[in-house]
């Protein structure tokens, strides 16, 4: 069964969260996913204790899909809608940041409530595309007002750097979590964010832990010219290019494969467990595209990395650079290749 932890008082979640970005329209560069199979996967996951889901207002179709899943849980399931946790996001488009007000914020929150068939949103994770546009702090305050109105249970942030997270916390906004990209390839949170969150009792919810599936046995010895099949592949191949490089990536896969065989698991399990072992990391978000990997997710909690495993991984990674800047800083920098693949206007009219 999935391990759980207390994200906030009287609110527990699974340490592996079911991610839904891969289900959104536009994620895949090739074939779309089989929604019936994904729905089956959701039922399998919650039965095994993986009861927490991550979506967003801008992941086209995912809030509605989870709303349908909840309706199915009401009929003939041993799990009820009250037994699952759904985390969504509030991501105002970059083109309208300067005009975001309380009325607009409440409208989007109400839309998420309707799509998800919920009376209250368990966790709303706030994102702000451009810190140079005023309104970030005020908008965080609007979410706090909506929490006080009973529409939001908990407030988190996503893709915030340490200093801007600190501004929100210092303003008295009760932030319980920070969703951030964190993997063995992208270690930017290790610069400041991990220590800050540990000090403030804020849990990191980490996406990209498996780097879009590039942390797997099938990539050992694969030609560097392999064509990306998803937007995740595009993003994480860029990360690898600026950190380990392709040769280092191949050497690292071999190291992870050795450790995985020692524990009778897979490379993906080692990579996930390593991130979960870091201070202030509450959970890892693992994408769900089909039902074939459900059984595999259980293996994450079937073993523990020992001190030698962690030392070998850290000694290897210390030979290579960490991406420049704070978390999501490159993705905010105009003209940077990481920003160029971002889609910043995804909210529907």
């Amino acid at each position: 069964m999935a391990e759980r932890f207390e994200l906030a008082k009287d609110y527990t979640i699974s340490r592996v969260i079911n991610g839904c970005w891969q289900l959104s329209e536009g994620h895949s560069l090739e074939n779309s996913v089989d929604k019936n199979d994904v729905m089956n996967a959701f039922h399998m996951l919650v039965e095994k204790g993986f009861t927490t889901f991550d979506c967003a207002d801008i992941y086209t179709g995912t809030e509605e899909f989870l709303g349908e899943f909840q309706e199915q849980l009401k009929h003939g399931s041993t799990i009820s809608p009250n037994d699952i946790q759904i985390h969504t996001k509030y991501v105002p488009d970059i083109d309208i940041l300067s005009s975001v007000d309380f009325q607009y914020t409440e409208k989007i929150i109400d839309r998420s409530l309707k799509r998800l068939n919920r009376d209250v949103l368990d966790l709303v994770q706030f994102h702000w595309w451009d810190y140079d546009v005023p309104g970030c702090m005020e908008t965080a305050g609007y979410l706090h007002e909506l929490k006080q109105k009973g529409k939001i249970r908990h407030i988190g942030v996503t893709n915030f750097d340490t200093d801007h997270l600190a501004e929100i916390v210092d303003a008295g906004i009760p932030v319980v979590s920070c969703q951030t990209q964190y993997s063995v390839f992208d270690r930017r949170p290790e610069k400041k964010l991990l220590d800050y969150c540990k000090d403030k009792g804020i849990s990191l919810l980490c996406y990209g832990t498996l780097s879009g599936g590039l942390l797997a046995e099938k990539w050992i010895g694969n030609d560097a010219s392999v064509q990306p099949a998803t937007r995740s592949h595009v993003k994480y191949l860029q990360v690898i290019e600026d950190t380990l490089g392709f040769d280092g990536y191949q050497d690292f896969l071999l190291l992870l494969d050795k450790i995985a065989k020692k524990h009778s698991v897979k490379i993906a399990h080692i990579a996930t467990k390593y991130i979960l072992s870091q201070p202030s990391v509450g959970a890892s978000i693992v994408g769900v595209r089909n039902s074939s990997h459900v059984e595999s997710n259980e293996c994450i909690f079937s073993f523990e990395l020992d001190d030698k495993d962690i030392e070998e991984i850290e000694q290897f990674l210390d030979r290579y650079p960490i991406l420049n800047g704070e978390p999501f800083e490159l993705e905010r920098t105009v003209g940077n290749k990481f920003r160029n693949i971002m889609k910043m206007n995804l909210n529907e009219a």
Side-chain angles (χ1 to χ4, degrees):
M1 294 290 286
E3 290 181 2
R4 304 187 69 79
F5 86 104
E6 191 172 68
L7 181 63
K9 182 176 173 55
D10 300 324
Y11 183 69
T12 65
I13 69 172
S14 49
R15 292 207 73 201
V16 167
I17 297 172
N18 309 311
C20 296
W21 181 47
Q22 297 181 2
L23 308 180
S24 63
E25 296 176 16
H27 175 264
S28 177
L29 304 180
E30 296 178 347
N31 300 320
S32 60
V33 297
D34 181 343
K35 292 294 182 69
N36 289 328
D37 185 47
V38 173
M39 191 66 78
N40 181 47
F42 282 2
H43 284 283
M44 295 169 63
L45 285 162
V46 298
E47 291 288 346
K48 295 177 180 296
F50 296 88
T51 61
T52 310
F53 295 81
D54 179 81
C55 64
D57 55 346
I58 61 169
Y59 297 173
T60 307
T62 60
E63 288 185 326
E64 294 92 334
F65 190 72
L66 282 165
E68 293 175 23
F69 175 56
Q70 282 207 117
E71 286 303 303
Q72 291 191 15
L73 291 179
K74 294 178 181 178
H75 308 286
S77 174
T78 59
I79 306 293
S80 82
N82 293 329
D83 294 324
I84 68 171
Q85 305 80 46
I86 299 179
H87 300 169
T88 192
K89 301 181 185 72
Y90 174 46
V91 187
D93 289 349
I94 192 168
D95 287 350
I96 67 162
L97 290 185
S98 60
S99 61
V100 170
D101 56 16
F102 178 81
Q103 288 71 28
Y104 176 80
T105 301
E106 185 169 34
K107 181 181 75 171
I108 298 300
I109 295 304
D110 286 343
R111 185 182 68 178
S112 291
L113 285 166
K114 181 179 179 181
R115 287 173 171 178
L116 290 165
N117 290 321
R118 303 287 263 197
D119 296 323
V120 59
L121 298 176
D122 293 324
L123 175 69
V124 173
Q125 301 161 105
F126 171 48
H127 175 69
W128 195 258
W129 286 111
D130 189 346
Y131 295 134
D132 290 332
V133 177
C136 179
M137 292 293 296
E138 290 81 359
T139 305
Y142 302 152
L143 293 176
H144 193 203
E145 287 184 56
L146 292 170
K147 179 179 185 298
Q148 293 173 321
K149 289 181 70 171
K151 295 187 177 185
I152 297 171
R153 181 169 286 116
H154 300 294
I155 296 172
V157 298
T158 182
N159 293 326
F160 267 65
D161 60 31
T162 310
D163 291 344
H164 288 89
L165 170 57
E167 286 183 15
I168 289 181
V169 172
D170 291 346
I173 307 297
V175 176
V176 302
S177 66
C178 176
Q179 185 172 143
T180 190
Q181 182 169 294
Y182 186 24
S183 71
V184 290
F185 298 137
D186 185 357
R187 297 181 288 142
R188 287 177 289 180
E190 296 175 6
K191 296 178 180 180
K192 292 172 59 178
L193 189 61
L194 289 181
D195 286 341
Y196 176 81
C197 287
K198 182 180 179 181
D199 181 59
K200 297 297 182 178
I202 296 170
S203 297
L204 289 182
L205 308 180
C206 303
Y207 69 90
T209 307
L210 299 181
S211 302
L214 294 173
L215 283 160
E217 287 76 7
K218 69 177 182 179
W219 299 107
I220 295 176
N222 241 320
D223 188 89
S225 63
V226 62
Q227 293 300 307
T230 66
R231 289 177 60 203
S232 292
H233 281 171
V234 174
K235 176 168 63 171
Y236 296 115
L237 283 170
Q238 290 181 344
V239 173
I240 291 170
E241 180 182 30
D242 285 7
T243 54
L244 274 65
F246 186 73
D247 289 341
Y249 167 50
Q250 286 296 312
D251 290 342
F252 191 48
L253 286 178
L254 292 174
L255 171 61
L256 294 181
D257 187 49
K258 182 193 77 170
I259 297 173
K261 287 175 177 173
K262 167 184 167 182
H263 294 283
S264 299
V265 294
K266 299 293 186 181
I267 287 174
H269 304 135
I270 301 299
T272 304
K273 199 74 167 191
Y274 178 75
I275 296 301
L276 287 174
S277 72
Q278 301 304 306
S280 70
V281 171
S284 171
I285 300 166
V286 176
V288 181
R289 282 182 61 81
N290 54 60
S291 60
S292 65
H293 299 295
V294 172
E295 298 292 340
S296 177
N297 282 6
E298 285 189 294
C299 294
I300 295 169
F301 304 112
S302 69
F303 73 102
E304 297 293 335
L305 293 174
D306 58 38
D307 291 342
K308 182 181 178 183
D309 300 328
I310 293 175
E311 182 180 359
E312 282 190 286
I313 292 171
E314 290 178 345
Q315 286 183 348
F316 185 97
L317 293 176
D318 286 345
R319 293 158 41 192
Y320 295 91
I322 298 177
L323 286 177
N324 292 332
E326 277 268 294
F328 217 74
E329 183 175 336
L330 294 172
E331 291 84 346
R332 297 180 191 278
T333 304
V334 175
N336 188 278
K337 66 182 180 182
F338 290 95
R339 180 186 171 103
N340 291 340
I341 64 171
M342 293 287 116
K343 294 185 178 182
M344 302 182 182
N345 292 291
L346 288 173
N347 259 295
E348 301 169 34

